[in-house]
Amino acid sequence: MEHVDVAIVGGGPAGSSAAEAVASRGADAVVLEKGVPRADRAATGPDSTDAAGLLDYWLDIMEFDFEEFPDDVVLSELDGAKFYGPDSELALTETGIDASYDGFGFTMHRARFDDWLRERAEDAGADYRVGVSVTGVETALAGDPRHTVQLAGGENIETDHLILADGPQRTVTGGALDQFLPAGRKLSDRMPSTEANHIAYQEHRRMPEELFDPDFIEFWWGIMPGHTAYPWIFPNDAPVARIGLTMPIGLDIADYDKREWALLRDDDEGIPRGREYVERLLERQFPDYELEDFPLVTDRGKSGGTETYPISSTRPIESPVRAGIAVTGGAMGATSAFHEGGDHVAVRTGRIAGRLAAEDRLERYNDEWQAAIGDEVLRNVTFADLVRDWGPTDWDRAFSTAKDLMDARGIKADAALKGGLHGLDLVASYKWGKFNNRKARYVQLREDDYAV
């Protein structure tokens, strides 16, 4: 049976970053990636599906300089983001967080980004295997080595250090962690994919040149039902854009007044599918154009210019590090539907896990990832909680006061006074939410919850 120093399940941003960190420290790293084909990738690779963009300070979280990114990964450098309510609009040209990159951010080609991270891992000496399906993990805490990674082909791998980076579906992570959790407290009970994930859908469409804006990403809030449900337009290479949406799984249209939501119709018998939502968005935003003016670019994405994929929408979990296991990125819930994925936190948590595994100090992982990305998780959890029950009018009210609430350093109490009672309420709710989630209270599964 094959033995490696560190086995990594999943070859996306977290897995590749972990592998590079392991191999660059002289330890053996093997990445096990089942792989999917894409029309815009030369070979089979990880499931690179995301409306991918990076904000300025996210590069610092990833510990990358902008100059490191290959030219074919960066699609469009951005001046800002536009947010729309049903009857309101807000443009931001600063994130309000200090960053080494001097722009607002940029959109990127996610598949090329993943392939670039894979190349970095392989250049460092990692063994990256595509087409390998992991069927399970068996752990013997007193064993030497502790873990047996079971493969569909029958050639199992033994390792003392296991890094789980299999994304928000947690296909392998669930069973691997359930070994250490009591009945009724299993990970599949706490984080079922139908409740802990959002579903996202996007299309690559060619826009009329006069409508294509390479400088701004755009988001619409309060026009479709569901917690943190929103459509978007992301500029790619001119004049192609990704037009898509994210929403919770399993919504029931009977729970919503269809008259309140701009993208619902009176004759809808269920929540519209992704394609229908995209078409309705285009009709609403560009009434002087026909749908045929926005043709699909069919040689991109996973399926004829379209992509459907899960995004974690839960709170993060700690890992059973005393068992030699670290969970990273989307699998641990560190990514977020609120900020549309989370390649930056996936890269950073993967790097931390890989470094500590190579140094045989994996017991420090939970403390170190919280120190590295805790502020980012705290912001996302707090904002997501704040808007949980918002409807269309709430979004319009928020955007109408946001200019008074925000400056280059974030929300200010004195600025909130200019926004009136609603501004004060927003600030108070946000600050109270952050207070309640302080000291990593955003974590939903603690290290001590594991029987290790």
Side-chain angles (χ1 to χ4, degrees):
M1 188 179 295
E2 183 180 5
H3 175 82
V4 298
D5 296 327
V6 184
I8 302 162
V9 179
S16 290
S17 300
E20 181 188 9
V22 172
S24 65
R25 286 163 177 79
D28 297 329
V30 61
V31 179
L32 306 169
E33 166 58 47
K34 62 182 179 181
V36 296
R38 285 176 63 102
D40 52 359
R41 173 186 278 138
T44 300
D47 192 4
S48 306
T49 46
D50 194 352
L54 295 175
L55 300 180
D56 52 3
Y57 72 95
W58 290 5
L59 274 68
D60 295 323
I61 288 177
M62 291 191 294
E63 299 181 313
F64 278 139
D65 292 326
F66 176 71
E67 290 73 19
E68 295 182 71
F69 285 80
D71 291 340
D72 66 347
V73 171
V74 178
L75 295 175
S76 184
E77 291 197 66
L78 302 168
D79 291 336
K82 294 180 180 178
F83 300 89
Y84 303 94
D87 297 298
S88 57
E89 179 178 342
L90 170 69
L92 295 180
T93 56
E94 297 181 39
T95 61
I97 299 175
D98 292 336
S100 57
Y101 174 63
D102 61 3
F104 181 84
F106 57 91
T107 61
M108 68 177 181
H109 192 298
R110 170 62 195 273
R112 292 175 188 161
F113 175 67
D114 277 7
D115 292 344
W116 173 58
L117 293 178
R118 171 184 175 176
E119 291 172 4
R120 291 172 60 97
E122 291 181 322
D123 289 346
D127 182 4
Y128 191 111
R129 303 178 189 177
V130 182
V132 180
S133 293
V134 176
T135 59
V137 174
E138 286 189 358
T139 300
L141 296 177
D144 184 20
R146 287 177 286 192
H147 308 294
T148 299
V149 181
Q150 301 166 331
L151 308 181
E155 294 294 327
N156 298 338
I157 294 176
E158 293 181 331
T159 185
D160 266 327
H161 300 94
L162 176 66
I163 297 176
L164 297 169
D166 55 337
Q169 293 293 74
R170 305 174 188 89
T171 306
V172 178
T173 294
L177 299 193
D178 280 351
Q179 301 176 89
F180 314 112
L181 295 171
R185 303 279 288 172
K186 304 294 187 184
L187 192 70
S188 54
D189 299 324
R190 295 171 182 244
M191 301 168 68
S193 60
T194 55
E195 297 178 13
N197 292 341
H198 277 43
I199 192 70
Y201 173 83
Q202 67 176 356
E203 299 178 350
H204 298 256
R205 287 184 177 264
R206 187 176 303 277
M207 299 186 67
E209 292 189 6
E210 65 273 18
L211 298 181
F212 181 81
D213 187 351
D215 300 324
F216 284 83
I217 51 178
E218 298 176 287
F219 303 89
W220 284 261
W221 293 91
I223 66 172
M224 57 184 292
H227 176 229
T228 62
Y230 56 95
W232 70 77
I233 295 180
F234 276 34
N236 280 5
D237 48 316
V240 177
R242 278 164 290 170
I243 306 174
L245 58 107
T246 183
M247 63 180 175
I249 298 172
L251 294 179
D252 186 345
I253 199 167
D255 295 333
Y256 302 96
D257 184 346
K258 289 181 281 190
R259 296 169 298 179
E260 292 185 359
W261 304 92
L263 295 190
L264 295 185
R265 303 288 185 264
D266 288 340
D267 58 352
D268 285 335
E269 296 181 356
I271 295 295
R273 294 182 178 273
R275 167 159 284 192
E276 181 66 29
Y277 264 140
V278 168
E279 292 178 356
R280 292 179 185 183
L281 176 70
L282 292 174
E283 291 170 356
R284 180 180 187 272
Q285 296 304 127
F286 310 110
D288 296 331
Y289 292 79
E290 301 295 331
L291 187 62
E292 292 74 17
D293 296 323
F294 304 85
L296 276 172
V297 182
T298 57
D299 62 348
R300 302 193 184 193
K302 291 205 307 182
S303 178
T306 69
E307 300 176 57
T308 302
Y309 53 95
I311 298 177
S312 175
S313 58
T314 186
R315 295 178 177 224
I317 61 172
E318 293 181 342
S319 297
V321 291
R322 291 188 292 271
I325 296 177
V327 190
T328 61
M332 68 182 287
T335 61
S336 164
F338 193 80
H339 62 40
E340 185 50 40
D343 296 325
H344 56 308
V345 295
V347 167
R348 186 62 178 274
T349 56
R351 281 189 164 187
I352 294 170
R355 170 175 57 81
L356 294 175
E359 296 171 352
D360 198 23
R361 296 191 301 138
L362 203 57
E363 70 278 357
R364 295 184 53 83
Y365 174 65
N366 291 322
D367 291 335
E368 291 209 16
W369 76 251
Q370 288 169 24
I373 66 168
D375 288 345
E376 176 73 348
V377 174
L378 179 59
R379 280 189 292 267
N380 288 316
V381 167
T382 303
F383 273 122
D385 287 347
L386 178 66
V387 305
R388 181 167 296 279
D389 297 319
W390 280 17
T393 56
D394 298 303
W395 285 106
D396 274 335
R397 290 184 67 203
F399 289 147
S400 68
T401 58
K403 292 179 182 179
D404 289 329
L405 293 175
M406 301 295 293
D407 70 2
R409 293 291 177 181
I411 294 176
K412 296 288 189 179
D414 57 347
L417 290 171
K418 301 176 185 177
L421 292 177
H422 184 242
L424 287 170
D425 181 61
L426 283 177
V427 171
S429 297
Y430 176 73
K431 290 183 176 295
W432 180 248
K434 288 188 71 174
F435 178 80
N436 285 336
N437 288 312
R438 72 195 188 283
K439 297 182 180 179
R441 290 177 184 171
Y442 50 74
V443 171
Q444 65 168 311
L445 181 62
R446 295 284 185 179
E447 180 180 340
D448 291 342
D449 292 334
Y450 300 103
V452 178

